[in-house]
Amino acid sequence: VPVLRKHDAAGLVSVPAKGIGYGGTGFESVDECFESAFQITASAVPAMDKNRRVIGQLMDEESMTSLARLASLPTKKGFRGVIPGQNSGPPLVKISLTDIEVQTKA
């Protein structure tokens, strides 16, 4: 899969390169299969270029501030190596987005 945009900054939205629903073990429930489909980078993560595709970007200061708050939450430890360059796992508390706005920029 050709890389159109590298994971070289915070605020990039990406999905699995093969499409949503891929990349799991096959033992997840439907909700678990899709809960990690969209990822937003909190910093540059070049290792994600191998198996994910950038499809969007956070565009405003309010969104970037919210991302910084999310990225500062305490996380489960012991996930080193799951994603190269990542030394921690998911947040200790479940995070749910309740509102999202998608815009197309020309």
Side-chain angles (χ1 to χ4, degrees):
V1 177
V3 176
L4 302 176
R5 165 81 195 258
K6 295 184 181 291
H7 293 82
D8 58 358
L12 300 177
V13 180
S14 69
V15 296
K18 292 182 178 180
I20 296 174
Y22 284 91
T25 62
F27 295 105
E28 304 92 351
S29 69
V30 172
D31 287 342
E32 290 173 328
C33 182
F34 291 100
E35 73 182 1
S36 62
F38 295 92
Q39 292 183 350
I40 303 172
T41 59
S43 63
V45 188
M48 290 175 70
D49 292 339
K50 295 175 186 167
N51 58 7
R52 299 193 66 83
R53 176 176 291 178
V54 175
I55 61 164
Q57 178 177 348
L58 301 182
M59 298 300 292
D60 60 16
E61 187 71 28
E62 182 182 2
S63 297
M64 293 303 287
T65 301
S66 296
L67 176 63
R69 288 180 52 214
L70 288 171
S72 69
L73 292 173
T75 59
K76 295 178 183 176
K77 302 299 180 191
F79 282 80
R80 185 183 180 104
V82 173
I83 297 176
Q86 180 174 320
N87 296 322
S88 61
L92 291 174
V93 294
K94 184 171 181 146
I95 305 299
S96 297
L97 294 177
T98 57
D99 186 33
I100 187 168
E101 181 180 340
V102 178
Q103 296 179 353
T104 301
K105 297 285 184 174

